[in-house]
Amino acid sequence: LYKEFLRIVEAKKPMEFLLENVSQIQEIKDQIIDDFKDIGYDVKTYLIKGEEIGMKQTRHRFFFIGEKIR
């Protein structure tokens, strides 16, 4: 599904974007980062653990934050 998000970002060209997904997406994070780099974005990644931010769940989510390369 990230490929569809990639297509939208490429078409709309926002200055920044936030992509959130399940933690297992880390298995292909390098490919995702490369794909966004190819369309002009620098990407940072973060794993957020719900229990570490005060949630009553142990849900883990993985975030990609992209910024347009100027």
Side-chain angles (χ1 to χ4, degrees):
L1 190 57
Y2 91 87
K3 293 274 189 179
E4 184 66 13
F5 187 81
L6 177 73
R7 184 190 66 76
I8 293 167
V9 169
E10 185 174 25
K12 298 292 185 182
K13 298 177 180 36
M15 294 304 294
E16 300 172 322
F17 69 82
L18 174 68
L19 172 64
E20 172 266 339
N21 211 303
V22 297
S23 61
Q24 291 82 0
I25 201 164
Q26 292 177 86
E27 296 170 10
I28 59 168
K29 79 173 186 168
D30 292 336
Q31 178 62 52
I32 294 171
I33 291 169
D34 288 344
D35 287 347
F36 280 105
K37 186 170 281 206
D38 289 345
I39 65 167
Y41 288 85
D42 182 39
V43 177
K44 293 186 169 108
T45 60
Y46 301 91
L47 176 65
I48 305 296
K49 298 177 180 179
E51 66 273 16
E52 292 178 356
I53 61 169
M55 291 176 63
K56 294 183 181 187
Q57 302 176 349
T58 57
R59 175 180 257 183
H60 298 176
R61 304 303 283 178
F62 198 74
F63 290 82
F64 295 84
I65 300 176
E67 182 177 9
K68 190 143 183 64
I69 299 170
R70 299 170 193 200

